[in-house]
Amino acid sequence: MKKLGLALLTLAAASAPANASTVFMGSYPDKMLIVDEATGTVKDRITLASGLPTSMRISNDNKKIYVTTITTSGIEVIDTATKKVVNSFSLNTPTTRYRFNGGVPDPSGRFFYTTLQKFEKLQDRWLVSPQMFAMIDLTKKAVTRTAEMPEEDTRNPNAGWRTGYMMSKDGKTLFLIRDKVLIVDTADLKVKDRLEVSKPEATGIEGVSFGGGVETLRSPTEYVSMFTAQDPYIRNKVYGVGRFNLATKAFDFRPIGPAPVGGGMGGLQVSKDMKEGWTVVTQEKVGNKRCEFWHLDLTTNLVKNKAEFPCRSRFQFGISGDTKLLYIYGASYDIEMYDAQTLQHVKTVDLGNDTTGAGMIITQ
């Protein structure tokens, strides 16, 4: 009888589902979707009081998600355990507005650092500020400190909108990663150094550009990204994986192969053991557009296999929490799921909401 009881308990434990992952996704007009990753079911839709989500950032301890919104220039903080909004506010007032996208919290979780512009309504016109570094106090729910960005750092037309934000472990240094790396002292919001990684030394290449950061490799000390580069002689373009170490400020670029002609590469996802990688390649953007998955062996820097998939006019690329499925989503009501090894279509999940460009965050 004891053996039978033990066998039943063992069977029950074996058949019990593992800790299911939860997917957080922004959607129109003011919702955060809470999706059960195992079933693809939308478990909840959280209304964000400050409006449309445009970016998400998870804290280093995975306990909080910081969402920036564009409707009223707000910040929403979501507790990943309870899946509830624990802080919500808008920066805009009837006479003052802000424009920003993304940012990073400090280790204490009280301050949020970003770059922004301020618009003040005067009697006869709107006064537009230059691009500024900013510290937002999440307790006071206000911008409490700003510093004007040097003119040489505002020449990038996408400054503030295509920027990777990282914070040092001690909260004393802010890193802005784009065409170069800006190192900003959080005490006075002044640029104390600039790293021209676009022209790394002793590599035989120039024109290195950052792609999207790798969320699965995100850590307090390293920024990992897909890069493209070209040599200075015959302008051949190659792509590879680059790592920027926040502590040592060292940049490491490892080429993988020729970059696609007439298109681009979007995102990089990696397996948990960091031995495999996946990216999306778009060939011929105009007229004859083709989209492919490229499956990479990161130990040998070789392409393992490729597969074409139906293009969308615009989309985002992600990977499941167990790295077994690849996701194509965005500007639509669904997620297309593909097997990460065979690159073949598995299923389509209907979300019932049009998702925004805020991306997705997966938690256990």
Side-chain angles (χ1 to χ4, degrees), residues 92-107:
N92 288 354
T93 70
T95 58
T96 304
R97 296 179 183 177
Y98 293 90
R99 186 172 186 259
F100 69 103
N101 181 55
V104 60
D106 78 331

Side-chain angles (χ1 to χ4, degrees), residues 117-254:
Q117 281 186 289
K118 183 179 181 180
F119 303 80
E120 293 181 276
K121 186 177 183 181
L122 305 182
Q123 191 171 19
D124 60 342
R125 68 190 187 279
W126 285 90
L127 181 63
V128 182
S129 79
Q131 191 79 11
M132 299 184 292
F133 302 112
M135 183 185 79
I136 301 171
D137 189 314
L138 300 178
T139 302
K140 295 180 179 180
K141 303 183 178 183
V143 177
T144 53
R145 192 146 47 88
T146 61
E148 186 172 332
M149 187 179 293
E151 182 182 357
E152 65 181 288
D153 299 319
T154 65
R155 295 168 188 165
N156 181 349
N158 294 313
W161 288 89
R162 294 184 181 177
T163 297
Y165 296 91
M166 297 292 286
M167 178 70 65
S168 63
K169 293 181 70 174
D170 59 10
K172 295 181 179 180
T173 306
L174 171 68
F175 298 88
L176 275 70
I177 302 174
R178 44 192 199 185
D179 56 334
K180 65 182 73 173
V181 178
L182 301 184
I183 301 175
V184 180
D185 190 330
T186 57
D188 56 11
L189 297 181
K190 300 294 185 182
V191 177
K192 60 181 182 181
D193 200 3
R194 296 174 180 85
L195 302 180
E196 295 284 352
V197 297
S198 60
K199 293 184 179 181
E201 298 180 3
T203 61
I205 56 176
E206 64 177 18
V208 177
S209 62
F210 284 86
V214 184
E215 191 62 27
T216 50
L217 280 181
R218 187 186 57 80
S219 74
T221 60
E222 190 175 45
Y223 182 89
V224 185
S225 173
M226 178 66 74
F227 287 71
T228 56
Q230 67 179 15
D231 70 80
Y233 307 108
I234 57 177
R235 307 300 180 185
N236 278 339
K237 291 187 177 182
V238 297
Y239 74 94
V241 177
R243 287 175 167 84
F244 175 67
N245 189 299
L246 305 185
T248 64
K249 302 179 181 61
F251 173 66
D252 176 57
F253 176 78
R254 298 183 181 182

